[in-house]
Amino acid sequence: MYHLAPVIEKAVENLEKFGVTRGGLRSRLAGVVARAAGQLLVRPDESEIQRADEVVKKIYGLLKRRGVRIRLLEREVYSGALLYELGLEKDFAEYAQRVARFFKEAGVREIVTVDPHTHYILEKVYPRYVPDFDFKVLSYMDLIDSGGVAVKNFAIHDSCLYARFLGRYDVVRKILSAGEPVEHPYYTGRDTSGCCGGPIESLFPDVARKVAQIRVRDLAKLSRDVVVQCPICYVNLKRASNGEVRLYYLPEVLL
């Protein structure tokens, strides 16, 4: 998901530029252009690709430091989270079956996830669509510890999935406690913190941006430094921030 996020960002940028989401003739013509020049239009910024590389390497290093032994597959497979979250249920069901077969053929028994969307889909949703999906799903956050935090007095933007549906709200705060995050009963509360606007940015980028702008405004009241746990959150808050806040992925700030 970290590497998919820069592609999503570039795709949404061009959807807005060419008016694909506005409907009518202009939208249809823009759609033709987008399909014809798809690879060029969604080519992400090299700096964001490098950042994604470094974040995943950092997670691997944190796991290795704790003595967690993991194998990396020669070919990474996508969970299909966005298919499910955007309502393409039939496509998701077929795709999930293929992913499960891939894991079984690769001899996988346990899966360590690095983002909330992948974790939620694999742990909570796959068992409903793949009857024999018996893999143990772990979050990297449950397996690491913090040797310190590189920034101080930052605000935490919680992933809705981690905080409300996966029970990781307190885990995040334990990991980041040394950085003395600035908390607020409403803006960073478990059940009251605002959404980033995703993952509907590819369908309704204008709506996603408005939601993200509200969230950026609220976070900026607490700190200019904001730590996020989700690549989708990162993309939407970045698009809306206009430099108002500095965004960090959680692994980036850990020592």
Side-chain angles (χ1 to χ4, degrees):
M1 184 68 82
Y2 286 97
H3 290 85
L4 183 59
V7 178
I8 294 173
E9 180 182 6
K10 187 60 66 173
V12 172
E13 176 185 311
N14 282 286
L15 286 173
E16 290 182 307
K17 182 186 299 183
F18 293 109
V20 173
T21 61
R22 296 173 192 163
L25 178 60
R26 181 181 178 185
S27 175
R28 291 194 293 275
L29 291 174
V32 171
V33 173
R35 286 191 293 273
Q39 289 188 344
L40 292 175
L41 291 177
V42 300
R43 181 176 296 168
D45 294 335
E46 187 63 31
S47 61
E48 291 295 344
I49 296 175
Q50 293 176 356
R51 186 173 189 177
D53 284 344
E54 293 304 316
V55 171
V56 176
K57 288 177 183 177
K58 182 65 175 290
I59 293 172
Y60 178 80
L62 291 166
L63 291 168
K64 187 176 180 181
R65 188 171 74 188
R66 278 293 306 273
V68 179
R69 298 179 60 191
I70 59 174
R71 294 170 56 195
L72 302 178
L73 297 173
E74 291 184 6
R75 180 170 66 90
E76 182 66 71
V77 291
Y78 176 55
S79 69
L82 288 177
L83 291 173
Y84 178 79
E85 291 167 346
L86 297 179
L88 301 172
E89 187 176 18
K90 181 179 178 181
D91 294 315
F92 169 77
E94 295 173 355
Y95 184 79
Q97 295 283 347
R98 298 208 311 269
V99 172
R101 285 196 301 271
F102 175 84
F103 285 146
K104 287 186 180 296
E105 291 169 1
V108 173
R109 295 189 301 273
E110 298 181 348
I111 302 168
V112 177
T113 65
V114 296
D115 72 86
H117 291 266
T118 301
H119 192 101
Y120 180 80
I121 287 294
L122 292 179
E123 183 182 90
K124 305 294 186 182
V125 180
Y126 263 58
R128 303 206 308 262
Y129 291 85
V130 184
D132 57 345
F133 192 80
D134 55 357
F135 304 94
K136 184 176 182 180
V137 182
L138 305 163
S139 169
Y140 83 95
M141 292 194 300
D142 299 329
L143 302 171
I144 66 171
D145 56 12
S146 173
V149 181
V151 295
K152 291 281 188 179
N153 305 127
F154 49 85
I156 298 173
H157 170 73
D158 283 289
S159 152
C160 298
L161 290 172
Y162 273 153
R164 295 170 190 165
F165 302 101
L166 293 171
R168 300 307 195 285
Y169 181 85
D170 292 328
V171 173
V172 169
R173 277 147 184 79
K174 181 180 179 181
I175 294 172
L176 294 174
S177 61
E180 301 175 10
V182 180
E183 299 278 23
H184 184 278
Y186 183 79
Y187 297 141
T188 61
R190 185 194 309 265
D191 300 312
T192 55
S193 60
C195 177
C196 72
I200 63 167
E201 64 282 337
S202 57
L203 296 179
F204 305 104
D206 52 340
V207 175
R209 183 186 291 273
K210 289 176 182 177
V211 174
Q213 286 171 338
I214 294 171
R215 184 58 177 155
V216 167
R217 181 195 65 199
D218 291 343
L219 290 167
K221 295 174 183 177
L222 305 181
S223 175
R224 283 205 63 203
D225 295 320
V226 176
V227 174
V228 303
Q229 308 129 45
C230 172
I232 297 295
C233 293
Y234 172 81
V235 166
N236 282 285
L237 296 179
K238 179 186 175 186
R239 290 177 61 241
S241 70
N242 293 318
E244 191 172 355
V245 295
R246 290 183 291 264
L247 298 170
Y248 302 89
Y249 282 121
L250 185 148
E252 289 180 309
V253 304
L254 298 183
L255 299 175

